Amino acid sequence: MSLTTNWKNLKMNKMKYHIKPYLKKRSINLSSLAKQIGMSFQRLDHHIKLKENLSLNVARKLSEALGMKLEVFIKEVEVADNNIEEEMENQPFAD
């Protein structure tokens, strides 16, 4: 199965993705990471919040910057339906 086929399957599974807690748990500096992948902090911050759709381009850039395979990175940032409320409760009102 190609990466494109896998990606279509991931998009159809209606999972939610939350990258910010994953990065914070690993003490990754968001400003430095944004510079490393050629993105402003504000744009990165937008992409790493809880989402139903995960940008393949952003996910690929982040996985490369973190030295991970794309598929592994995506699995790491998936949020199961029963964890969504908990994830939302742990988010501050303003970043």
Side-chain angles (χ1 to χ4, degrees), residues 11-62:
K11 289 191 87 154
M12 291 176 13
N13 73 7
K14 300 296 182 194
M15 287 294 294
K16 294 198 183 287
Y17 303 92
H18 204 181
I19 301 170
K20 194 174 224 174
Y22 175 83
L23 298 174
K24 285 191 172 189
K25 196 182 303 182
R26 285 151 187 80
S27 301
I28 295 172
N29 183 288
L30 301 180
S31 296
S32 297
L33 182 60
K35 286 179 187 174
Q36 185 178 352
I37 64 173
M39 190 179 285
S40 71
F41 172 81
Q42 291 81 4
R43 187 164 170 230
L44 175 64
D45 191 55
H46 166 78
H47 284 289
I48 63 176
K49 292 180 180 175
L50 184 64
K51 303 242 179 248
E52 283 189 20
N53 297 324
L54 186 61
S55 163
L56 176 59
N57 191 35
V58 172
R60 184 178 289 143
K61 285 180 180 182
L62 288 170

